[in-house]
Amino acid sequence: MKLRILLPLLLLTAVGVLRAQERVACWERFELRFEHAAKGNPFDVDLSATFTSGDRTIVVRGFYDGDDTYRIRFMPTAEGTWQYVTRSSAAAMNRRRGTLVATPAAAGNHGPVAVDGHGFRYADGTRYMPFGTTNYALALFRPETQEATLRSLATSGFNKTRLCVLPKDFPTPLEAPTRFPFVLRSRTTDEAGKEHFEWDFDRFDPAFFQNLDRRIEQLQALGIEADLILFHPYDRGMWGFDKMPEAVNRRYLDYLIARVGAYRNVWWSLANEWDLVRNRSVEEWKALTRHVAATDPYGHLCSIHGGTAVYFDYSMPELTHVSIQDEAPVFAASSAATLRQIFPKPVICDEIGYEGNLPLRWARYSPRLMTHYVTNGLMGGIYVTHGECYRDPAEEDFVYWSDGGRLRGGSWQRIAFLRRILEEGPNPPQMADVSRDTQTSTAGDGYYYVYLGQSVQSSWRFNLPASNARYRRPQEGNRYRVEIIDLWEMTVTEVPDIFEATKVLDYRVYDKQHRNVRLPDTPYLLLRIREIGE
Amino acid sequence: MKLRILLPLLLLTAVGVLRAQERVACWERFELRFEHAAKGNPFDVDLSATFTSGDRTIVVRGFYDGDDTYRIRFMPTAEGTWQYVTRSSAAAMNRRRGTLVATPAAAGNHGPVAVDGHGFRYADGTRYMPFGTTNYALALFRPETQEATLRSLATSGFNKTRLCVLPKDFPTPLEAPTRFPFVLRSRTTDEAGKEHFEWDFDRFDPAFFQNLDRRIEQLQALGIEADLILFHPYDRGMWGFDKMPEAVNRRYLDYLIARVGAYRNVWWSLANEWDLVRNRSVEEWKALTRHVAATDPYGHLCSIHGGTAVYFDYSMPELTHVSIQDEAPVFAASSAATLRQIFPKPVICDEIGYEGNLPLRWARYSPRLMTHYVTNGLMGGIYVTHGECYRDPAEEDFVYWSDGGRLRGGSWQRIAFLRRILEEGPNPPQMADVSRDTQTSTAGDGYYYVYLGQSVQSSWRFNLPASNARYRRPQEGNRYRVEIIDLWEMTVTEVPDIFEATKVLDYRVYDKQHRNVRLPDTPYLLLRIREIGE
């Protein structure tokens, strides 16, 4: 209170060290660096800065990065001149003032992703449809493994991945985490041979987080959103990061947000399988969620992910989208569509089981089934995340979903193919006639998909529903081209006929000549039907 | 404020007219009747009573019932002695005091239905599974029609029905409502021949509500819950009850709750197809919902029903259960189960389309399809409401769903049969292994259903999932009997074999002899599998 009252005076009289005016592109990272030898615990030094541009004010926290170095990171959210002033409990870092100019974003920099109805858009308005995968240990294992994972992602076609911040214990690890978020106080082995770790929860290990920073930057360079899993139950009593005191949980979140909040491609996933974390109640998860939302000055996307078919209270306004583990919704596009109808936010099935060859039932989908499920979800108007769980039975090698390494399955290419197809559409798909027509999706005026799924049929009678979500309905005389897209073979074959709509007959239109589309008697066909001009 | 301070004194000195001590069974209706000639509008007289028994206090409003008669209705919620005292703006009805003794409920009176997890129980703890139908005009048309509908319900097996309080306009009515909730001020016909009604919204027509009272009582005598639809969009500009001023909406709700809140079989359905009522926002619906919950002293079940696949914000605590119109969830038991997973309350698909022969697509399900959908919902752990839309093409006759009259379809008997089957189970069904096994439901320890749906197969290999919801899992050596229940033929056939479980093999148990159950090659078979003792 005293500070707040004194501040205007102080600002007028302060001899701020004015830095040269700096330039940084919109949604890139601006960083202030200070050298300061703290007395006591350097992590206890308060440091923040207020950035102001016109009506916009953003307060960001700084953080201690080791070696007497403090940093304040800031992401300008609009072009123009930003003034800043620091605050710190250390006089040397207090009331430092400066100016930066946020220049237009370069090509390929669209800003952070935000919610737009049941879908997403980057801050610059560009549409974003998540086609994600899963790499829990992306920033946790040996540098070579981390780099291999990033190389695999570079050519995969994925534009989002889920990764754990905190170390994950694996039942049959090829590798174990080598760095940890906190400074180790002691490591002992009991009579039973079990290791016990004691951490100094007052001191982070900057090297651990520096590595995470670098991985997020690399993902950003690849155009991949980093869906950061903040807590998870995969500690299995190994290190105790799943049962830290509540104050440590918050201190960890604050430190993480101070470090990586200024990265535009960051999303917060409060947890993977929150319900499997022992002794943390729904109310505690809600409190942590509110803490993240209140601490993050940018409003990054935020959700929480549970065990199979465990749904959190996604009506919480802090949860920007629904992130779930469940396969039932992708058994059929019509089931996926029900989730879209229930939740007034985007829905991502961030885990539906994985393509793979492990004995576990959630880790042994065929490439075709994985592709089919992803397609069902997309056709129903939600999003579905990929994962891959192959292990060479001859040797204990990497499982991509958790360890990283290289992609070796069959669905990832098809998902990339499907992404290209759907990004050609004017809007993301959704059911054209929800809860009535289980096969026809729409992407806008005169733009449809009919997903035939696992059925094999020799022909398809041209027909469309009279309803078309909120788009223009088909009219008698509208003319359409049809393409047969084979999702498995990744081919697009145009049908030579032009189809002409009848008037609406019992809720549908047909071709005036009653024509069929001949099909190749194979499953996983997606018909794309586009109206053509006069 | 003044009143509250004075009250203790007043009570001590008041010469209350002490009534003789009366007796009424728990959850029955106790009624105080007053004669009073009001000056001015008799509906403007404030009247209420406070009933107290031990720690319990219930404040109920009285109401004017015409002919200088006022009534206060009260439902004792516990056995024992209840003291009451009235309050009124009319001195003659003010500070009347008395005592009543609530005696044990008679057989068949289980009290009001309340929520228990994803299911329901009566107040006395008896399980209640809703098997409902739909009779919009049950209390609106000619007395003969109303009585015919009640006769049909008496033998139907249904234990809930949805009925509209406010008159409903029908496109091709055989009958039109003859009584209205408000006093008619004027009725004029414009040049176009359209009738215009002007109502005195300050004065209710007691006769309209007396008829509703009687119908609710008759339903109660039949063991049928009355799911009262408080608002709907089916006025179609006819009388204007869908666009009354907000104060009139609340006055109407208050009057209705004062009249029928003491009936134990009343549920509140804020609306049918709320989203189709013009010019009423979600926030206004929420406010009306909160008003009902705050006004009803008994906490009767309360929900709101939207158009096809339109989901309200059912996280509102005032909404005790989810009441929806949607068919996609009953396309498969696994889809129904997803709704159960999402909502931490009971889910009722109160409209999935209807059995019938109308040209409208929601009113022409076959009896088999209607039965199938109801079964899918129940197997997935939710509830599904029936409706019937037959019209004799030769004449414009009654449509049961709206007008009432007699049942003539084929699904109602099967639903009654299914009700008997499921009421034999220890618990309501739910998926045994949610999102993994789409066919097996569980009703408890060693108690399963396998619904084979529309598939036709000559045999079923005995097998059960290792998971069993929250119940005991199958163990090697458990022995089971299987019955083949033909839902369409309404037969139960016991299979002579006893099946003995293997240990768990890849998430399932099988019969040690690898035996099959021979099936009759017909669809709509429900296998009931029950563990037998040593």
Side-chain angles (χ1 to χ4, degrees):
Chain A
M1 211 50 192
K2 200 175 159 198
L3 235 179
R4 211 180 299 170
I5 291 161
L6 288 175
L7 197 66
L9 271 176
L10 285 174
L11 284 178
L12 288 171
T13 58
V15 187
V17 179
L18 227 67
R19 296 166 59 99
Q21 183 176 294
E22 303 201 49
R23 300 173 76 80
V24 65
C26 222
W27 306 309
E28 295 290 356
R29 209 172 63 256
F30 173 76
E31 196 168 296
L32 289 170
R33 184 176 164 281
F34 304 93
E35 288 198 17
H36 171 66
K39 295 168 198 150
N41 183 351
F43 293 96
D44 285 343
V45 174
D46 278 338
L47 177 62
S48 66
T50 301
F51 289 79
T52 309
S53 177
D55 291 345
R56 296 169 195 254
T57 297
I58 296 177
V59 180
V60 296
R61 290 179 52 135
F63 62 93
Y64 180 61
D65 202 23
D67 295 328
D68 294 340
T69 303
Y70 289 81
R71 296 181 200 279
I72 294 174
R73 289 176 177 168
F74 169 66
M75 172 178 69
T77 56
E79 293 172 32
T81 303
W82 291 79
Q83 315 286 345
Y84 64 81
V85 56
T86 67
R87 300 247 189 111
S88 179
S89 53
M93 298 190 286
N94 195 22
R95 286 178 260 142
R96 303 284 288 266
R97 307 174 75 202
T99 300
L100 76 113
V101 175
T103 58
N109 170 3
H110 302 293
V113 175
V115 164
D116 177 37
H118 282 97
F120 300 93
R121 286 188 186 279
Y122 292 101
D124 74 350
T126 304
R127 188 179 64 197
Y128 171 80
M129 297 171 68
F131 289 82
T133 188
T134 314
N135 303 101
Y136 287 154
L138 186 111
L140 293 174
F141 285 165
R142 283 180 307 163
E144 308 87 275
T145 311
Q146 298 183 27
E147 292 291 347
T149 309
L150 283 156
R151 278 195 303 278
S152 79
L153 286 172
T155 54
S156 65
F158 292 118
N159 61 10
K160 166 169 115 68
T161 190
R162 285 174 68 73
L163 61 155
C164 298
V165 175
L166 296 173
K168 181 179 187 305
D169 184 36
F170 296 91
T172 56
L174 250 199
E175 305 193 27
T178 51
R179 287 195 177 281
F180 296 94
F182 298 96
V183 171
L184 188 64
R185 230 183 219 147
S186 74
R187 181 172 182 166
T188 52
T189 306
D190 66 17
E191 314 85 67
K194 181 170 160 40
E195 281 192 311
H196 293 273
F197 296 82
E198 199 195 336
W199 305 101
D200 182 352
F201 284 139
D202 291 334
R203 287 165 201 266
F204 299 100
D205 179 354
F208 174 88
F209 289 94
Q210 286 156 7
N211 180 65
L212 179 65
D213 294 349
R214 192 161 56 252
R215 299 316 175 195
I216 295 171
E217 282 169 41
Q218 288 173 299
L219 289 170
Q220 185 180 295
L222 296 172
I224 296 175
E225 301 294 305
D227 195 2
L228 295 181
I229 297 166
L230 305 178
F231 296 99
H232 61 68
Y234 316 122
D235 190 287
R236 298 175 209 272
M238 191 77 178
W239 307 294
F241 301 135
D242 54 347
K243 49 184 180 189
M244 302 187 294
E246 197 52 25
V248 176
N249 287 337
R250 289 175 184 236
R251 190 177 164 93
Y252 150 69
L253 291 173
D254 293 348
Y255 188 72
L256 183 71
I257 292 168
R259 290 199 72 108
V260 305
Y263 291 86
R264 65 175 178 269
N265 61 324
V266 157
W267 302 19
W268 314 120
S269 179
L270 262 291
N272 225 54
E273 300 191 317
W274 62 267
D275 51 309
L276 301 184
V277 176
R278 286 187 201 161
N279 302 321
R280 197 172 299 171
S281 68
V282 168
E283 281 314 312
E284 285 168 317
W285 282 117
K286 288 190 174 184
L288 285 172
T289 303
R290 283 189 286 264
H291 182 77
V292 167
T295 307
D296 166 17
Y298 303 103
H300 287 288
L301 292 175
C302 180
S303 195
I304 182 167
H305 164 283
T308 297
V310 175
Y311 288 74
F312 202 78
D313 174 8
Y314 291 106
S315 71
M316 275 186 80
E318 293 83 0
L319 298 174
T320 55
H321 62 287
V322 175
S323 164
I324 46 166
Q325 173 178 183
D326 201 5
E327 43 260 58
V330 296
F331 290 165
S334 57
S335 300
T338 298
L339 262 62
R340 182 188 169 105
Q341 296 300 116
I342 290 172
F343 296 110
K345 343 183 146 179
V347 177
I348 308 180
C349 279
D350 264 318
E351 198 170 338
I352 58 162
Y354 304 114
E355 180 184 343
N357 65 355
L358 301 190
L360 299 156
R361 61 181 176 175
W362 50 264
R364 63 188 186 195
Y365 291 171
S366 72
R368 285 178 175 81
L369 189 63
M370 187 82 204
T371 306
H372 174 59
Y373 282 169
V374 170
T375 309
N376 278 341
L378 286 158
M379 289 298 122
I382 67 171
Y383 300 95
V384 186
T385 297
H386 165 272
E388 199 181 86
C389 286
Y390 284 101
R391 176 175 285 147
D392 186 336
E395 45 180 327
E396 288 258 320
D397 67 349
F398 296 113
V399 176
Y400 187 78
W401 143 81
S402 60
D403 315 288
R406 68 183 173 82
L407 283 158
R408 53 183 107 173
S411 63
W412 67 268
Q413 304 97 312
R414 277 75 190 187
I415 294 167
F417 173 73
L418 183 60
R419 176 181 171 191
R420 288 196 297 278
I421 295 292
L422 297 186
E423 287 185 345
E424 290 172 12
N427 299 287
Q430 67 183 99
M431 302 311 291
D433 188 11
V434 70
S435 291
R436 309 285 186 172
D437 178 331
T438 61
Q439 239 178 12
T440 313
S441 300
T442 175
D445 298 343
Y447 203 111
Y448 302 90
Y449 309 103
V450 171
Y451 180 48
L452 300 175
Q454 293 173 319
S455 79
V456 175
Q457 53 195 81
S458 56
S459 69
W460 174 76
R461 170 74 46 107
F462 181 91
N463 72 93
L464 292 171
S467 290
N468 187 22
R470 296 183 176 270
Y471 304 115
R472 180 165 50 73
R473 292 167 167 238
Q475 300 292 317
E476 182 174 4
N478 285 167
R479 295 155 71 240
Y480 300 89
R481 270 195 201 289
V482 177
E483 290 158 300
I484 302 168
I485 298 172
D486 186 322
L487 291 181
W488 185 252
E489 297 297 335
M490 297 185 280
T491 58
V492 180
T493 308
E494 186 166 319
V495 175
D497 291 328
I498 303 289
F499 298 86
E500 187 179 344
T502 61
K503 66 179 181 183
V504 173
L505 301 163
D506 197 34
Y507 302 98
R508 301 194 80 76
V509 299
Y510 300 86
D511 174 53
K512 287 195 172 176
Q513 308 300 319
H514 302 266
R515 278 172 299 191
N516 292 333
V517 173
R518 290 204 52 189
L519 300 174
D521 304 292
T522 53
Y524 311 115
L525 300 180
L526 180 72
L527 307 179
R528 179 163 58 180
I529 300 151
R530 291 188 277 188
E531 193 183 331
I532 53 178
E534 300 300 303
Chain B
M1 212 50 193
K2 200 175 159 197
L3 235 181
R4 213 180 299 170
I5 293 162
L6 289 176
L7 196 65
L9 270 178
L10 285 174
L11 285 179
L12 288 172
T13 59
V15 186
V17 178
L18 225 68
R19 295 167 59 100
Q21 184 177 293
E22 303 199 47
R23 300 173 76 80
V24 66
C26 222
W27 307 309
E28 295 289 355
R29 210 170 65 255
F30 172 76
E31 197 168 295
L32 289 169
R33 184 174 163 280
F34 303 93
E35 286 197 19
H36 171 66
K39 294 168 198 148
N41 183 352
F43 293 96
D44 285 343
V45 174
D46 279 337
L47 177 63
S48 68
T50 301
F51 288 80
T52 309
S53 175
D55 291 344
R56 298 169 195 252
T57 297
I58 297 177
V59 180
V60 296
R61 291 179 52 135
F63 62 93
Y64 179 62
D65 201 22
D67 295 329
D68 293 341
T69 302
Y70 288 81
R71 294 180 200 279
I72 293 175
R73 290 177 177 168
F74 169 66
M75 172 177 70
T77 58
E79 292 171 32
T81 303
W82 291 80
Q83 314 286 344
Y84 64 81
V85 56
T86 67
R87 300 247 189 111
S88 179
S89 53
M93 300 189 286
N94 195 24
R95 287 178 262 143
R96 305 284 287 267
R97 307 172 76 201
T99 301
L100 75 113
V101 175
T103 58
N109 170 4
H110 302 291
V113 174
V115 164
D116 176 37
H118 281 99
F120 301 93
R121 286 190 187 278
Y122 291 100
D124 73 351
T126 304
R127 188 179 66 196
Y128 172 80
M129 299 172 67
F131 289 83
T133 188
T134 314
N135 302 102
Y136 287 154
L138 185 110
L140 293 174
F141 286 165
R142 283 180 307 163
E144 307 88 274
T145 311
Q146 298 182 28
E147 292 291 346
T149 309
L150 283 156
R151 278 195 304 277
S152 79
L153 287 170
T155 54
S156 66
F158 293 118
N159 61 9
K160 167 169 115 67
T161 189
R162 287 175 66 72
L163 61 154
C164 297
V165 175
L166 296 173
K168 180 179 188 305
D169 184 36
F170 296 90
T172 54
L174 249 198
E175 306 194 26
T178 50
R179 287 195 176 280
F180 296 94
F182 297 97
V183 170
L184 188 64
R185 229 183 220 145
S186 73
R187 181 172 183 165
T188 53
T189 307
D190 68 15
E191 314 85 67
K194 180 169 161 39
E195 281 192 312
H196 293 273
F197 295 81
E198 198 195 337
W199 305 101
D200 181 351
F201 285 138
D202 291 335
R203 287 164 200 266
F204 299 100
D205 179 353
F208 175 89
F209 290 94
Q210 285 157 6
N211 181 64
L212 179 65
D213 294 349
R214 192 160 55 250
R215 299 316 175 196
I216 294 171
E217 281 169 41
Q218 288 173 299
L219 289 170
Q220 185 180 295
L222 296 173
I224 297 175
E225 301 294 304
D227 196 1
L228 294 182
I229 297 167
L230 305 178
F231 296 99
H232 61 67
Y234 317 122
D235 190 287
R236 298 175 210 271
M238 191 78 178
W239 307 294
F241 300 136
D242 54 347
K243 51 184 181 190
M244 301 187 294
E246 198 53 24
V248 176
N249 287 337
R250 291 178 181 233
R251 189 177 165 92
Y252 150 69
L253 292 173
D254 293 348
Y255 188 72
L256 182 70
I257 293 168
R259 290 199 71 109
V260 304
Y263 290 87
R264 65 174 178 270
N265 63 322
V266 157
W267 301 19
W268 313 122
S269 179
L270 261 291
N272 224 55
E273 299 192 317
W274 62 266
D275 51 310
L276 300 185
V277 176
R278 287 188 201 160
N279 303 320
R280 197 173 300 171
S281 69
V282 168
E283 281 314 313
E284 285 168 316
W285 282 117
K286 288 191 172 182
L288 285 172
T289 303
R290 284 189 285 263
H291 182 75
V292 167
T295 306
D296 166 16
Y298 302 103
H300 286 289
L301 293 174
C302 179
S303 194
I304 183 168
H305 164 284
T308 297
V310 175
Y311 288 74
F312 202 78
D313 174 8
Y314 291 105
S315 70
M316 276 186 80
E318 292 84 0
L319 297 173
T320 55
H321 63 287
V322 175
S323 163
I324 46 166
Q325 174 177 181
D326 201 5
E327 43 260 57
V330 295
F331 291 164
S334 58
S335 300
T338 298
L339 261 62
R340 183 188 169 104
Q341 297 299 116
I342 290 172
F343 296 109
K345 344 185 145 177
V347 176
I348 309 180
C349 280
D350 264 318
E351 197 169 339
I352 59 161
Y354 304 114
E355 180 184 343
N357 66 355
L358 301 190
L360 300 156
R361 61 182 176 175
W362 49 265
R364 63 189 187 196
Y365 291 170
S366 71
R368 284 177 176 80
L369 188 64
M370 187 82 205
T371 306
H372 175 58
Y373 282 169
V374 169
T375 310
N376 278 340
L378 285 159
M379 290 298 123
I382 66 171
Y383 300 94
V384 186
T385 297
H386 164 272
E388 199 181 85
C389 288
Y390 285 102
R391 176 175 283 148
D392 185 335
E395 45 179 327
E396 288 256 320
D397 67 348
F398 295 112
V399 175
Y400 188 78
W401 143 81
S402 59
D403 315 287
R406 67 184 172 83
L407 284 157
R408 54 183 106 174
S411 63
W412 68 268
Q413 302 97 313
R414 277 76 191 184
I415 293 167
F417 173 73
L418 183 60
R419 177 181 169 190
R420 288 196 298 278
I421 295 292
L422 298 186
E423 287 184 346
E424 290 172 13
N427 298 287
Q430 67 182 100
M431 301 312 292
D433 188 11
V434 70
S435 292
R436 308 285 187 173
D437 178 331
T438 60
Q439 241 177 9
T440 313
S441 300
T442 175
D445 297 345
Y447 203 111
Y448 302 89
Y449 309 103
V450 171
Y451 180 47
L452 300 174
Q454 293 172 320
S455 80
V456 175
Q457 52 195 82
S458 56
S459 68
W460 174 75
R461 170 73 46 106
F462 180 91
N463 73 93
L464 292 171
S467 290
N468 186 22
R470 294 180 177 273
Y471 303 116
R472 180 164 51 72
R473 292 166 167 240
Q475 300 292 317
E476 182 175 4
N478 285 166
R479 295 157 69 241
Y480 301 89
R481 270 196 200 288
V482 177
E483 290 157 301
I484 301 167
I485 297 172
D486 186 321
L487 291 181
W488 185 252
E489 297 298 334
M490 297 186 280
T491 58
V492 179
T493 308
E494 188 166 316
V495 175
D497 292 328
I498 303 287
F499 299 86
E500 188 179 343
T502 60
K503 66 178 181 182
V504 172
L505 302 162
D506 197 35
Y507 302 99
R508 302 192 81 75
V509 300
Y510 300 86
D511 174 53
K512 287 195 171 175
Q513 308 300 320
H514 303 266
R515 278 172 298 192
N516 292 332
V517 173
R518 290 203 54 191
L519 299 175
D521 304 293
T522 53
Y524 312 115
L525 300 181
L526 181 72
L527 307 179
R528 180 163 58 180
I529 301 151
R530 290 188 278 187
E531 192 183 333
I532 53 178
E534 299 300 303

